[in-house]
Amino acid sequence: MPDRLRADLIRSGLNLIGQALSIFDADLRLAVANDQYQAMFDLPHRLTRPGTSFEDTIRFLVARGEYGPQDDPDAAVAFRVEQARTFQPHYFERMRVNGRWIAVEGAPLSQGGWITVYTDITDIKRQESLLRARSAELSEQVLDHAERLSAANRELAATNAALQEAQRVLTRTEARTRQVTEMVPAHIAHVDAEYRYTFSNRRLPAVFPGARAEAVGLTVEQALGPTMFLALKPWLDRALADEPQVFEITHPASGRRIRIALTPDRAGHGVYVLSTDVSAEVQAREALTHASKRSLAAQLTSGMAHDFGNLLTIILGLQGRLAAMELPAGAAQDVQATLAAARRGATLLDRLARISGKRDLSLHPVDLPALLRDLAALARPSLAEGVDLSLQIDLPDGQLLLDPGALQDSLLNLILNANAAIAGPGRIALSARTSGEWVRISVSDTGPGFSDEALTRATEPFFTTKTGQGSGLGLSMVYDQTKLAGGTMRLDNTAPGARVTLRLPLRPVARQMVLLVEDDDSIRADIRDMLTGLGHAVLEAASLTEARGMTDLPGLGVILSDIQLGDGLGLDLATSLPLVLMTSLPPGDPVRARATVPVLTKPVTPARLAAALADAKVPT
């Protein structure tokens, strides 16, 4: 509807009102007025136009005697303008210069300014006068009460109008506040002295997976569970004692790292709560720390590695020739010992190279229970006498996408570390189970456990507690391989000893039919081979038009498309199926930024392709 037509309709509606009405904005300029306003006060047209100053209108009325004789007209005008600037609800009755009575009701507006309604009450006043004159039998007190009641009723009506406007403003403000809190990627809440939520936005399950979405009225224990409540209670108690708290805690069920800020409510006994998932921040911080340490290790060793490699090559060559000669028994043993030490040095150099070298993830479909059984069979002959290795496997049927080589190396390293930590007979337990969207694999032992220093520094390159032996690279490499796979590593002590837990993304292998959309024939052929190598069936389309005609084929499970196609953009595919996109565009490109699903950067590797298909989402 055009603005002019809308304004005409509003003015027509206001003119149907029996009373005079005016609305002035926050700058005390006329926004709108009806015809009755001009007629009641006999105002010139210039004072009824939008934008007219309130001061000019009052000056006109004072000059005409609307407010009675004035010794100082300018002071009278200034007084009424200052009264108006307070924007307070008001009601009063006054007799005009022409002898007629009006009731004036004013109420402030939420956006500034006020609305005033003027009602001609001359007839009411006349009736009151007649009643007083003709009803001598009525006492003066009854008449006074009647008049006061009438005035009070009119004032009450004005007050109710102001209260309704205030309620409307408060309701709208509360709705806006809730909308803002819902948009914040954090849980915002208020908890009273009984640990009960009196306010909570709907972000609680997003920060604490598994929590109740509607938390208002529930206690913290009811919303988050007993375990989480016991962990939070000491911090809540200190905050309830007027001590602000900021701390980080690990959510047991999901493993997320959560930062919580507790601010005492000084207006009432309670606590404001701000909870944020900082898992990505913590992981990035840890990764940066380890990257800097690896970089330092690489700088210290890269210059020496080449020279040491040459020396070891010479030593191995000389000792090899000596080993081929007929030597006395003692000398032959010395030669073999020297060869073993040199070979161990070569292994150590290889580990140093792997610290600073580029790592690649190589995901493959893996039968994890079979891998763990084979690993146990491989490790048992290397264990000390009296050390038993047991398996505890609780995994769903089906294969998982994992890097089998890196996982086997990591677990073998952990098992051998546990074996070295056990003095005398003992037990090592290798367990695997699923937890939510993760696979948890733990190696625990009955040794002395980790020292406080080891719990803090065990993943640092070259840190070791094995005096005189060990390179200090084992746990650092396990940590790096786990992070590369998108997982986490946790060290802790249990009642019988130490435990290391690897948490890896749960990616079940789901062989499905993939629609591959790529306009470059050679690239399409390479990616088709990767997909079939992963066990998927493949349908091919060379254009966006061709792909649109195939998205509703029965049995189709996922679409893999290039973003830029010859006849359009792959991200414009309208589909209810999971979609994965590929591109050579850099991450900051505007076209790539439009994607709401995973995007693979070309060239694509089988491991990244397998992970992206496992995590595929329907476009939003």
Side-chain angles (χ1 to χ4, degrees):
M1 181 184 296
D3 291 341
R4 183 177 183 83
L5 178 57
R6 184 182 291 108
D8 289 342
L9 287 175
I10 293 173
R11 179 173 291 278
S12 298
L14 294 178
N15 289 334
L16 293 175
I17 299 174
Q19 294 106 320
L21 179 145
S22 66
I23 299 176
F24 283 84
D25 62 19
D27 295 324
L28 295 184
R29 293 194 173 275
L30 185 65
V32 65
N34 61 1
D35 291 345
Q36 287 83 344
Y37 173 71
Q38 182 179 14
M40 176 177 285
F41 297 106
D42 192 22
L43 296 173
H45 288 296
R46 64 181 177 82
L47 293 179
T48 60
R49 297 192 188 102
T52 299
S53 165
F54 177 76
E55 182 177 352
D56 290 343
T57 303
I58 294 297
R59 191 176 301 281
F60 173 83
L61 295 176
V62 168
R64 199 170 62 184
E66 281 286 339
Y67 300 101
Q70 301 290 335
D71 294 334
D72 186 348
D74 290 336
V77 171
F79 172 74
R80 284 167 172 76
V81 170
E82 287 305 312
Q83 272 191 323
R85 290 191 188 279
T86 63
F87 299 110
Q88 296 296 320
H90 57 274
Y91 175 86
F92 60 88
E93 299 172 358
R94 68 178 177 87
M95 187 173 70
R96 299 183 54 216
V97 68
N98 60 5
R100 301 192 67 83
W101 282 84
I102 60 171
V104 182
E105 304 175 23
L109 299 174
S110 61
Q111 61 269 41
W114 37 258
I115 178 172
T116 306
V117 177
Y118 311 86
T119 306
D120 190 323
I121 59 172
T122 304
D123 292 339
I124 296 174
K125 288 293 185 181
R126 285 174 180 171
Q127 290 174 5
E128 290 174 353
S129 298
L130 288 173
L131 181 63
R132 183 181 295 277
R134 296 178 183 178
S135 303
E137 68 277 10
L138 294 177
S139 68
E140 187 72 21
Q141 185 177 8
V142 173
L143 288 175
D144 287 344
H145 284 315
E147 291 176 0
R148 290 173 187 171
L149 181 60
S150 178
N153 285 336
R154 291 192 291 271
E155 187 172 354
L156 179 61
T159 302
N160 285 338
L163 287 174
Q164 289 175 357
E165 173 65 13
Q167 182 180 18
R168 185 183 69 82
V169 173
L170 181 61
T171 302
R172 187 172 62 182
T173 301
E174 182 180 359
R176 287 177 176 174
T177 301
R178 177 166 288 279
Q179 183 177 10
V180 170
T181 61
E182 297 297 342
M183 295 172 62
V184 175
H187 177 231
I188 301 173
H190 182 273
V191 176
D192 65 15
E194 304 299 324
Y195 312 111
R196 191 175 300 277
Y197 287 105
T198 59
F199 172 83
S200 172
N201 65 357
R202 295 182 177 85
R203 303 290 297 179
L204 185 60
V207 179
F208 297 88
R212 301 277 292 272
E214 298 294 338
V216 175
L218 301 178
T219 64
V220 176
E221 183 174 6
Q222 291 170 333
L224 298 179
T227 302
M228 200 67 202
F229 173 65
L230 289 176
L232 294 175
K233 187 176 182 300
W235 302 93
L236 286 168
D237 289 340
R238 285 193 285 271
L240 287 169
D242 286 339
E243 298 178 19
Q245 305 290 316
V246 178
F247 59 97
E248 291 184 5
I249 195 167
T250 300
H251 186 234
S254 64
R256 294 185 179 183
R257 193 67 176 170
I258 299 169
R259 181 177 298 139
I260 301 175
L262 304 177
T263 303
D265 179 6
R266 309 204 185 279
H269 202 32
V271 175
Y272 291 103
V273 184
L274 176 65
S275 305
T276 311
D277 184 352
V278 293
S279 302
E281 176 188 332
V282 171
Q283 292 176 5
R285 189 168 62 230
E286 291 178 353
L288 182 62
T289 300
H290 282 268
S292 63
K293 292 176 180 177
R294 285 197 303 271
S295 176
L296 177 61
Q299 293 175 13
L300 293 174
T301 58
S302 60
M304 300 182 292
H306 179 266
D307 294 336
F308 272 112
N310 288 337
L311 290 174
L312 288 173
T313 302
I314 295 171
I315 293 171
L316 285 169
L318 291 173
Q319 294 300 312
R321 286 199 292 271
L322 287 174
M325 300 178 184
E326 293 186 4
L327 299 172
Q333 290 178 356
D334 292 342
V335 170
Q336 292 301 324
T338 305
L339 282 171
R343 292 190 183 104
R344 187 173 180 279
T347 301
L348 180 58
L349 280 179
D350 180 62
R351 287 189 175 185
L352 291 173
R354 289 167 65 185
I355 286 179
S356 57
K358 186 178 182 298
R359 294 167 176 78
D360 290 315
L361 188 65
S362 181
L363 295 179
H364 298 283
V366 174
D367 183 344
L368 185 54
L371 182 145
L372 297 178
R373 287 192 290 269
D374 292 343
L375 176 65
L378 176 67
R380 282 189 179 106
S382 302
L383 302 180
E385 185 176 354
V387 175
D388 176 62
L389 173 60
S390 63
L391 283 177
Q392 300 169 5
I393 301 176
D394 183 14
L395 295 170
D397 295 334
Q399 294 181 318
L400 303 176
L401 281 176
L402 296 166
D403 187 336
L407 179 58
Q408 194 172 43
D409 288 346
S410 295
L411 295 177
L412 184 59
N413 200 311
L414 296 178
I415 291 171
L416 295 180
N417 279 355
N419 177 65
I422 297 174
R427 297 185 309 278
I428 301 173
L430 174 60
S431 64
R433 62 183 178 87
T434 58
S435 175
E437 299 179 353
W438 302 93
V439 178
R440 293 178 180 271
I441 306 175
S442 298
V443 175
S444 56
D445 61 59
T446 56
F450 291 108
S451 65
D452 292 341
E453 184 182 18
L455 286 172
T456 304
R457 302 183 55 202
T459 59
E460 295 180 9
F462 304 118
F463 175 80
T464 180
T465 57
K466 303 173 185 177
T467 305
Q469 58 177 324
S471 62
L473 300 175
L475 282 179
S476 176
M477 293 172 60
V478 174
Y479 173 86
D480 290 341
Q481 289 168 342
T482 305
K483 296 294 288 184
L484 182 64
T488 61
M489 183 176 80
R490 180 179 178 181
L491 282 64
D492 61 350
N493 288 323
T494 61
R499 178 175 59 194
V500 180
T501 302
L502 306 183
R503 192 183 66 162
L504 301 171
L506 176 62
R507 295 189 175 111
V509 174
R511 293 182 173 86
Q512 52 191 327
M513 184 180 294
V514 180
L515 174 58
L516 172 60
V517 188
E518 171 60 64
D519 56 2
D520 188 293
D521 294 341
S522 59
I523 295 177
R524 191 170 67 253
D526 290 340
I527 296 177
R528 179 189 61 222
D529 292 342
M530 293 183 195
L531 290 170
T532 55
L534 293 170
H536 300 295
V538 182
L539 295 174
E540 299 180 41
S543 67
L544 182 63
T545 303
E546 186 179 355
R548 283 173 171 160
M550 302 171 69
T551 55
D552 58 350
L553 290 176
L556 194 61
V558 64
I559 299 175
L560 173 64
S561 175
D562 190 13
I563 287 183
Q564 292 179 305
L565 299 167
D567 58 344
L569 298 175
L571 50 78
D572 291 334
L573 272 171
T575 176
S576 59
L577 295 172
L579 175 66
V580 177
L581 296 171
M582 310 174 289
T583 187
S584 298
L585 296 172
D589 187 270
V591 175
R592 178 169 177 165
R594 288 175 49 195
T596 59
V597 295
V599 179
L600 292 170
T601 302
K602 293 181 178 179
V604 177
T605 64
R608 290 194 292 119
L609 180 57
L613 291 175
D615 299 335
K617 300 185 300 182
V618 176
T620 57

